[in-house]
Amino acid sequence: MSISLPSTGTLAIGGKTVHRLGYGAMSLTGPGVWGPPADRDAAVRVLRRVVELGVNFIDTADSYGPYVNEELIREALHPYPEGLLIATKAGFVRTGPSQWHPVGRPEYLRQEVEMSLRRLGVERLGLLQLHRIDPQVALEDQVGELAALRDEGKIAEIGLSEVSVEELERARRVTDIVSVQNRYNLTNRFSESVLDHCTEQGLVFIPYSPVAKGALTGAGSPVEHVAKVLGATPSQVSLAWLLARSPMVLPIPGTSSIAHLEENLGASTVQLTAEQLTELG
């Protein structure tokens, strides 16, 4: 398979330059993002193939497993290749499969950053994103603690996840924010205004669930007809649409299959015409 990630363009984050097709590692856990993957050796092989194919941005979080995902990344890839940026997150507590609860108390965020450093085996986290804003804690206190950790050298850059434009700007009044990770894909554009704002401000926008948990990939996909014309797959067209949407977009498709990984990264060679982009909207 011919994959040319440089054709996607690059973005600068945390002093590193990353290709605009990353990998979301959340899929490498058990059902409900809980516990270890069914086949740990296969998960390790996927992560190693990610790097072999030139991907240098991997997204994870302390809550994926919980903790399992970060430990797996270290097992598969440490010592890390030069230029690889591992982005992790803190601020979500897991109490069981598919259960998520925001916790943004400063002491908890500090604890989780310290533990992520240990699990990943690094002295500084390249990008730490606040996984969710805890409504019970002042946003300024949550972001302020991350800023303190950055000043201590434990975090290189700070990002946010699932925020509005107003929340993003409140956070930016406290400290520098380099990225926003919101749900966004061709059929779910609730975060359109956030994406446009990030583009205007030069902030990286990381759309999670870029192929709508598979809804954009199978038979009946709204991009199926365009995929047939291009000789591509629906997932490739969906990712190519995101890449064309803004130069600040960094999709992170996730999978536990090497075949699907290679298919997803094939989006780097798909060029949508102006007419196709207009048709898809």
Side-chain angles (χ1 to χ4, degrees):
M1 166 171 286
S2 175
I3 295 173
S4 179
L5 288 180
S7 67
T8 64
T10 59
L11 289 167
I13 308 175
K16 294 187 177 181
T17 300
V18 298
H19 298 303
R20 285 204 310 127
L21 258 180
Y23 174 72
M26 186 179 75
S27 299
L28 303 180
T29 55
V33 198
W34 185 262
D39 187 335
R40 193 177 187 91
D41 290 341
V44 167
R45 288 194 293 272
V46 168
L47 284 165
R48 290 177 177 165
R49 185 61 175 151
V50 165
V51 173
E52 287 172 359
L53 290 170
V55 174
N56 58 357
F57 182 88
I58 295 177
D59 175 81
T60 184
D62 63 349
S63 55
Y64 298 166
Y67 311 141
V68 169
N69 212 231
E70 291 179 329
E71 293 168 349
L72 188 65
I73 289 170
R74 179 176 183 173
E75 177 183 337
L77 301 176
H78 194 276
Y80 302 113
E82 184 71 23
L84 177 66
L85 176 57
I86 299 171
T88 193
K89 296 180 285 292
F92 246 174
V93 170
R94 307 298 306 288
T95 54
S98 302
Q99 297 181 35
W100 309 78
H101 310 281
V103 175
R105 296 190 306 276
E107 63 271 23
Y108 176 75
L109 295 176
R110 176 171 288 273
Q111 167 190 296
E112 291 307 293
V113 165
E114 294 283 3
M115 295 306 293
S116 286
L117 288 167
R118 291 190 195 180
R119 284 188 293 269
L120 289 169
V122 295
E123 295 182 355
R124 183 170 66 169
L125 301 174
L127 174 62
L128 188 286
Q129 300 186 103
L130 181 62
H131 208 158
R132 289 295 186 276
I133 294 173
D134 184 346
Q136 305 301 316
V137 180
L139 169 59
E140 290 75 10
D141 291 344
Q142 297 173 67
V143 176
E145 188 66 18
L146 298 183
L149 286 159
R150 186 192 56 210
D151 292 345
E152 294 167 22
K154 295 176 180 179
I155 297 172
E157 301 289 353
I158 299 168
L160 304 172
S161 181
E162 278 304 319
V163 294
S164 65
V165 172
E166 186 272 335
E167 289 167 333
L168 169 58
E169 286 307 304
R170 278 180 60 194
R172 292 180 74 198
R173 287 194 286 272
V174 177
T175 190
D176 289 337
I177 302 294
V178 302
S179 66
V180 172
Q181 183 168 326
N182 281 16
R183 185 190 301 273
Y184 185 82
N185 55 56
L186 201 146
T187 56
N188 183 336
R189 307 189 195 184
F190 183 77
S191 289
E192 191 97 12
S193 62
V194 181
L195 168 55
D196 289 341
H197 187 72
C198 285
T199 302
E200 293 168 2
Q201 297 296 313
L203 306 178
V204 176
F205 184 88
I206 305 169
Y208 74 86
S209 193
V211 294
K213 296 184 177 180
L216 289 168
T217 66
S221 165
V223 302
E224 189 173 23
H225 61 296
V226 175
K228 288 180 179 178
V229 170
L230 293 172
T233 67
S235 66
Q236 290 170 344
V237 171
S238 300
L239 293 167
W241 177 83
L242 283 168
L243 290 168
R245 175 63 182 78
S246 163
M248 300 309 297
V249 166
L250 198 173
I252 49 168
T255 179
S256 58
S257 158
I258 288 179
H260 287 158
L261 167 69
E262 294 178 347
E263 176 190 345
N264 289 337
L265 296 182
S268 62
T269 64
V270 175
Q271 295 295 320
L272 298 173
T273 67
E275 292 77 12
Q276 289 166 338
L277 288 169
T278 299
E279 179 184 354
L280 294 173

